[in-house]
């Protein structure tokens, strides 16, 4: 390829029955499950073709790229109905209980498969030789989490997906930019288009149905990391909101996009805290050595936040809220007391067991957040001797961890009490016919984590195979021509080639904006006006109006992004996806006139939780031709009773659908 010849890509067109966009946990689950049902269809003489497209290399793509130390959703001895209660409480009362229950009743099968495929799962003493499926007891860190040696977690899960559908049906390093609706039905999906980030090819896929599982949105907000550290974040920087933006741009309804996840993390290295709080039983302290969670508990009453806390048991955002009180009042830095936790655990241990404990403390991060070990090593921190700082990070948009932003989908049909607006068709299908999603894509149903996302990908894939069979004779026709799509995707390249000689340095030019500068602008707007770190997660009506005006201008300028090489073309489209996801987030925060998720963000003009008016979903659609957003309220329906003692028992849903 000569210096700028990439402006005219080779076009590769393909038609399949099912396209899977993404190669992460949900997509790998989908590939694995699709194969099972495609084989069954084959027995009836129906031949279905599936293809998976990932922007990166599947073995290390997505959130699990570096591995994980725990599987955060495993039912085991627990009841899926109880899991629904936990998720509902953690997400401040508003949850699609049908979707959560569906994940809960299926997730263990995915975990048992992980173990079968080679993932080492910690076992209780005496159960070491037994798999979970054989009744072996895992080591619980919390009620829902089990510990793993998970450095190669993604590799193991991806290998099973590859074995299922075959590497010939997988395209890696292809970034999907656009979904295309059908020429004859604008509410139906017919195709997708993207480009290879490795060679000069543009890929156009036509299909009967598609799973959009491209993860959450990272780097929408100005991160805490700066300078050399920039690019360090907790969630994967390579997931750029493609799921939310592509869905919104083809007309799918989004839900609860005001929600975000602000995790408490080890400062600078972004090390997760779960194992430290739950397994090692560490406490968090303020600058004066006080347990701020206990000390600030009473303040939950101020705005009615205590309605969603039971004693010291409370959801993730409320725990954050108590931490933020300290930061606002100048009682930081905050610390996680690792030395006391480790010495407490070591009390009855042999020297060899203590060495093992120390190794586990490091391995927790070596398995999933290596940069945290870098911070410890670089700052001479020995966790058994010195405390580490913790800090709330910049916000991330996601639907699988302790957050619930995402797309509105149809749920299972067999949960008693399911209202019509929860179930209108194939399971996990969005409001666009043939477009499915899973994992971070599905809104209003958090706490799936890695295992639940895999299980949800499987649920979606089963429904997609049925959809493909039911629509076997339908031929997709895309609303736009391949030439139009190509011109749009490669526009940043053309812009660059046309104007690059106007100035003496290619990075300064009045005719275009570099993707990097575009990203800085987006992050600054979101940070300063949409409740980022610089305002301590606070915003109000006027700030949001300013944000809207600035984001609209940025949307205009997005047409002027340049791409001087394939890498920048990727960056340009990632940032476009971030922009649309950011827009959705801002519009939803503007719409919801309350502070439903204190500790994630505050509307300072509506500090209360207002159950009377806002205990509901907020849904939206976007018209990409006019730039108009529509938002409205959607009723929340409780399907799972509050406790087993509640008299008006809701009939029990079936435990598993095979
Ligand atoms: O400690 C395109 N998560 C944890 N889950 C657990 O079960 N245990 C843990 O220990 C967890 N922790 C944790 C976690 C994540 C991270 C980053 C850290 C620690 C440091 C959460 C899970 O990982 C997460 O819930 C799931 O992975 C979500 O699954 P999914 O499938 O929704 O997203 P993905 O796995 O990130 O995959 C996305 C894929 O999309 C691709 N992609 N492909 C084509 N075109 C485009 N435009 C695309 N855009 C993206 C990606 O390459 C990827 O393949 S702890 O903090 O709690
Ligand atoms: P994290 O490492 O923060 O992503 O958390 C991993 C798991 O542990 C998630 O299921 C969290 O909800 C849970 N968790 C983390 N910290 C706490 C805590 N202090 N109390 C209860 N659960 C927690």
């Amino acid at each position: 390829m000569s210096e700028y010849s990439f402006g005219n890509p080779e076009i590769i067109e393909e038609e399949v029955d099912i396209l899977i966009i993404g190669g992460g946990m949900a997509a790998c689950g989908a590939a694995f499950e699709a194969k099972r049902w495609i084989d069954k269809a084959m027995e009836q003489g129906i031949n279905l073709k599936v293809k998976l497209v990932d922007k990166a290399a599947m073995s290390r793509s997505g959130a699990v790229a570096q591995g994980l130390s725990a599987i955060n959703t495993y039912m085991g001895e627990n009841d899926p109905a109880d899991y629904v209660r936990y998720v509902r409480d953690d997400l401040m009362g508003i949850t699609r209980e049908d979707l959560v229950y569906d994940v809960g009743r299926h997730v263990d099968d995915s975990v048992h498969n992980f173990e079968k495929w080679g993932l080492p799962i910690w076992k209780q003493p005496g159960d070491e030789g037994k798999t979970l499926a054989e009744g072996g007891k895992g080591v619980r860190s919390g009620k829902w989490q089990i510990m793993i040696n998970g450095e190669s977690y993604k590799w193991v899960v991806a290998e099973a997906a590859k074995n299922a559908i075959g590497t010939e049906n997988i395209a890696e390093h292809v970034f999907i930019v656009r979904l295309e609706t059908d020429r004859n039905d604008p509410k139906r999906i017919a195709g997708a288009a993207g480009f290879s980030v490795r060679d000069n090819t543009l890929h156009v896929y036509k299909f009967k149905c598609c799973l959009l599982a491209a993860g959450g949105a990272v780097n929408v907000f100005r991160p805490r990391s700066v300078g050399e550290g920039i690019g360090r974040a907790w969630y994967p920087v390579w997931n750029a909101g493609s799921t939310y933006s592509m869905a919104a741009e083809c007309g799918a309804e989004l839900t609860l996009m005001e929600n975000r996840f602000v995790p408490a993390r080890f400062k600078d290295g972004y090390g997760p805290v779960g194992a430290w709080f739950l397994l090692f039983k560490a406490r968090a302290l303020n600058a004066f050595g006080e347990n701020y969670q206990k000390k600030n508990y009473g303040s939950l009453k101020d705005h009615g936040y205590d309605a969603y806390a039971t004693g010291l048991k409370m959801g993730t955002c409320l725990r954050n809220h108590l931490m933020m009180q300290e930061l606002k009042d100048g009682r930081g830095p905050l610390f996680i007391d690792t030395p006391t936790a480790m010495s407490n655990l070591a009390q009855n241990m042999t020297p060899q067991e203590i060495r093992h404990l120390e190794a586990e403390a490091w391995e927790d991060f070596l398995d999933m957040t290596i940069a945290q070990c870098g911070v410890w090593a670089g700052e001479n921190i020995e966790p058994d001797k010195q405390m580490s700082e913790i800090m709330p990070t910049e916000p991330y948009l996601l639907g699988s961890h302790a957050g619930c932003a995402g797309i509105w989908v149809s749920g299972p049909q067999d949960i008693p009490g399911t209202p019509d607006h929860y179930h209108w068709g194939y399971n996990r299908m969005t409001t666009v016919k043939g477009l499915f999603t899973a994992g971070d894509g599905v809104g209003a149903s958090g706490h799936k984590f890695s295992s639940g996302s895999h299980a949800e990908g499987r649920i979606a894939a089963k429904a997609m195979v049925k959809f493909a069979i039911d629509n076997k004779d339908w031929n997709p026709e895309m609303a736009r021509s391949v030439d139009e799509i190509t011109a749009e995707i490669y526009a940043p390249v053309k812009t660059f080639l046309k104007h690059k000689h106007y100035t003496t340095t290619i990075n300064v030019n009045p005719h275009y904006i570099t993707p990097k500068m575009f990203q800085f602008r987006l992050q600054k707007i979101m940070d300063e006006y949409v409740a980022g770190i610089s305002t301590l997660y606070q915003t109000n009506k006027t700030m949001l109006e300013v944000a809207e005006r600035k984001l609209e201008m940025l949307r205009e300028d997005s047409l002027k992004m340049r791409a001087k090489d394939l890498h920048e073309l990727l960056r340009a489209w990632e940032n476009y996806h971030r922009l649309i996801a950011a827009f959705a987030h801002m519009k939803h925060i503007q719409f919801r006139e309350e502070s439903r998720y204190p500790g994630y963000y505050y509307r300072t003009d509506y500090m209360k939780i207002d159950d009377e008016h806002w205990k509901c979903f907020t849904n939206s659609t976007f018209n990409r031709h006019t730039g108009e957003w529509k938002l409205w309220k959607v009723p929340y329906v409780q399907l799972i009773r509050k406790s087993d003692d509640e008299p008006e028992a809701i009939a029990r849903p079936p435990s598993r659908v095979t």
Side-chain angles (χ1 to χ4, degrees):
M1 210 186 332
S2 75
E3 195 188 0
Y4 297 123
S5 69
F6 74 99
N8 295 306
E10 180 194 342
I11 304 205
I12 298 171
E13 291 184 65
E14 241 180 292
E15 185 160 342
V16 295
D17 294 288
I18 297 171
L19 186 77
I20 299 170
I21 300 175
M25 290 308 288
C28 286
F32 170 73
E33 190 70 18
K35 170 71 171 144
R36 290 181 57 204
W37 298 97
I38 286 172
D39 283 353
K40 282 190 210 278
M42 188 101 87
E43 285 164 18
Q44 293 158 29
I46 303 169
N47 198 0
L48 295 176
K49 190 163 165 47
V50 61
K51 179 109 194 182
L52 183 150
V53 198
D54 190 351
K55 74 184 271 195
M58 252 171 103
S59 305
R60 288 277 174 199
S61 70
V64 189
Q66 292 182 60
L68 295 176
S69 296
I71 286 175
N72 282 347
T73 309
Y74 180 67
M75 296 297 114
E77 63 286 10
N78 293 314
D79 177 356
D82 220 17
Y83 167 64
V84 175
R85 294 179 192 117
Y86 153 67
V87 177
R88 178 171 64 200
D89 288 348
D90 200 273
L91 293 169
M92 309 303 279
I94 310 170
T95 286
R96 277 283 301 275
E97 300 178 9
D98 56 333
L99 302 176
V100 178
Y101 190 89
D102 208 16
V103 167
R105 65 181 166 178
H106 290 114
V107 65
D108 285 8
D109 194 63
S110 276
V111 179
H112 295 168
N113 272 306
F114 299 158
E115 190 169 33
K116 195 168 87 189
W117 299 331
L119 180 71
I121 294 180
W122 293 16
K123 293 288 158 45
Q124 300 278 6
D127 272 2
E128 288 89 350
K130 257 198 228 165
T131 64
L132 291 172
E134 289 162 351
K137 290 256 171 303
V139 174
R140 289 274 186 202
S141 42
K143 180 170 178 179
W144 307 102
Q145 302 84 357
I146 49 172
M147 298 302 294
I148 57 174
N149 289 102
E151 187 276 338
S152 299
Y153 187 6
K154 184 64 204 304
W155 192 281
V156 168
V157 171
E159 187 179 55
K162 288 178 188 175
N163 287 343
I165 62 171
T167 46
E168 67 283 9
N169 293 313
I170 295 172
E172 294 185 330
H173 306 295
V174 172
F175 182 77
I176 298 295
V177 174
R178 277 247 176 263
L179 297 177
E180 296 292 331
T181 47
D182 185 61
R183 171 166 303 173
N184 307 306
D185 182 355
K187 290 290 284 173
R188 182 170 192 155
I189 191 83
F195 60 93
S196 163
V197 299
R198 288 291 164 89
D199 57 35
N200 198 21
T201 52
L202 184 126
H203 297 254
V204 181
Y205 301 98
K206 282 202 279 181
F207 45 72
K208 307 259 189 284
C209 60
C210 150
L211 181 76
L212 176 58
V218 179
N219 267 331
V220 165
F221 282 82
R222 176 155 52 195
R224 287 197 182 273
S225 47
V226 295
E228 281 180 318
I230 220 160
R232 187 65 211 120
W234 163 71
Y235 220 43
V237 290
W238 40 88
N239 287 351
S242 300
T243 310
Y244 312 128
S245 61
M246 287 197 277
E249 291 211 307
C250 75
E253 249 178 63
L254 304 181
T255 190
L256 295 182
M257 281 301 289
E258 62 273 34
N259 186 272
R260 72 237 326 244
F261 183 36
V262 174
R265 288 291 175 260
F266 279 68
K267 188 169 174 295
D268 299 333
Y270 290 81
V273 297
W276 279 97
F277 280 137
L278 302 180
L279 185 71
F280 295 126
K281 312 266 181 282
R283 286 178 320 150
L285 306 173
N286 68 9
F288 308 106
E290 296 166 313
N291 179 336
Y292 60 79
Q293 195 156 324
K294 270 195 186 148
K295 188 180 71 112
N296 292 345
Y297 184 74
S299 74
L300 288 181
K301 286 199 168 44
D302 292 352
H303 303 293
Y305 303 158
D306 58 326
Y308 289 93
T310 319
L312 278 182
K313 255 183 77 188
M314 68 193 83
T316 313
C317 70
L318 291 180
R319 291 200 303 272
N320 273 8
H321 171 71
L322 300 178
M323 171 191 272
M324 284 172 191
Q325 298 277 99
E326 294 301 281
L327 294 173
K328 275 186 203 154
D329 293 347
R331 284 192 292 268
L334 306 173
F335 294 101
I336 184 155
D337 184 0
T338 54
T340 306
M342 288 180 79
S343 73
N344 286 346
L345 286 173
Q347 259 171 17
N348 299 316
M349 284 183 179
T350 62
Q352 197 189 356
E353 285 169 335
I354 292 174
R355 269 201 303 283
H356 184 69
L357 176 70
E358 283 164 10
E360 289 307 347
W362 283 86
E363 195 188 310
D364 183 45
F365 293 137
L366 285 170
D367 268 3
M368 70 177 161
T369 311
I370 301 156
Q372 187 58 51
C373 294
V375 172
W376 274 352
E379 297 189 357
N380 291 338
I381 293 173
E382 290 177 69
D384 55 324
K385 299 193 176 62
Q386 195 181 332
M387 298 197 293
S388 291
E389 279 183 64
I390 49 168
M391 194 75 180
T393 69
E394 62 279 357
Y396 308 108
L397 308 181
L398 50 76
S400 69
H401 203 282
C404 56
I407 309 170
W408 185 248
V409 296
S410 181
Q413 60 184 6
D414 60 338
I415 312 280
T418 298
D420 289 348
H421 67 285
Y422 280 19
H423 171 76
W424 61 85
Y426 298 83
N427 204 350
R428 267 55 173 194
M429 192 170 85
T430 70
T431 54
V432 171
K433 194 169 179 185
L435 178 64
F436 293 71
T437 188
D440 277 326
V442 173
S445 142
H447 289 269
K448 291 170 267 201
F449 298 100
S450 59
S451 45
S453 297
H454 190 270
E456 195 169 46
R458 295 176 62 186
I459 292 168
K462 180 181 170 189
M464 286 165 73
V465 172
K466 180 159 181 358
F467 182 98
I469 293 170
D470 293 348
N471 291 272
K472 192 75 191 111
D473 298 326
W474 176 75
N475 287 317
E477 279 183 76
M478 295 192 305
R480 296 192 302 167
S481 70
V482 172
D483 283 351
E484 281 173 280
I485 296 166
T486 310
E488 183 188 40
I489 292 180
Y490 271 72
V493 176
K494 300 282 181 212
T495 301
F496 174 69
L497 295 178
K498 188 167 168 203
H499 298 294
K500 68 188 165 76
H501 294 302
Y502 189 77
T503 52
T504 50
T505 172
I506 57 165
N507 288 336
V508 181
N509 195 308
H511 295 289
Y512 55 67
I513 176 168
T514 66
K516 192 170 185 168
M517 294 306 143
F518 185 93
Q519 186 174 329
F520 285 146
R521 249 174 85 186
L522 172 67
Q523 291 181 344
K524 185 169 157 66
I525 298 166
M526 295 303 286
D527 181 46
E528 292 178 352
Y529 302 101
V530 195
I533 53 177
S534 71
T535 62
L536 271 169
Y537 313 95
Q538 300 175 98
T539 185
N540 61 36
K541 183 170 183 281
T542 312
M543 287 166 100
L544 292 163
E545 278 165 9
V546 178
E548 181 155 20
R549 199 163 55 80
K550 287 176 187 279
L551 285 178
E552 197 47 65
M553 285 180 189
L554 195 58
R555 201 167 77 87
E556 266 174 53
D557 284 354
S558 69
L559 299 175
K560 298 194 184 117
M561 258 194 287
R562 78 145 199 222
K564 68 175 169 47
D565 47 35
L566 276 178
H567 179 74
E568 268 203 349
L569 190 59
L570 173 71
R571 291 290 181 253
W573 281 111
E574 282 177 341
N575 284 330
Y576 181 76
H577 287 173
R578 285 191 179 100
L579 170 72
I580 302 301
F583 228 120
H585 187 48
M586 185 277 294
K587 289 300 292 182
H588 274 248
I589 291 182
Q590 202 175 46
F591 183 67
R592 183 178 281 278
E593 294 178 333
E594 64 159 355
S595 291
R596 170 66 48 176
Y597 307 105
Y600 284 175
Y601 79 88
Y602 303 88
R603 279 284 308 249
T604 53
D605 40 0
Y606 299 99
M607 282 296 278
K608 282 194 182 330
I609 289 182
D610 179 0
D611 273 350
E612 193 189 333
H613 299 104
W614 288 101
K615 192 161 182 187
C616 60
F617 303 103
T618 47
N619 283 17
S620 67
T621 50
F622 176 56
N623 180 332
R624 79 179 176 99
H625 304 292
T626 62
E628 189 198 356
W629 287 90
K630 277 199 186 121
L631 289 105
W632 66 97
K633 294 180 179 183
V634 174
Y636 155 76
V637 178
Q638 186 185 331
L639 297 176
I640 302 292
R641 60 209 159 104
K642 209 158 178 234
S643 75
D644 284 332
D645 310 326
E646 221 175 41
E648 71 283 16
I650 294 171
R652 257 200 118 54
S655 59
R656 219 182 130 202
V657 192
T658 47

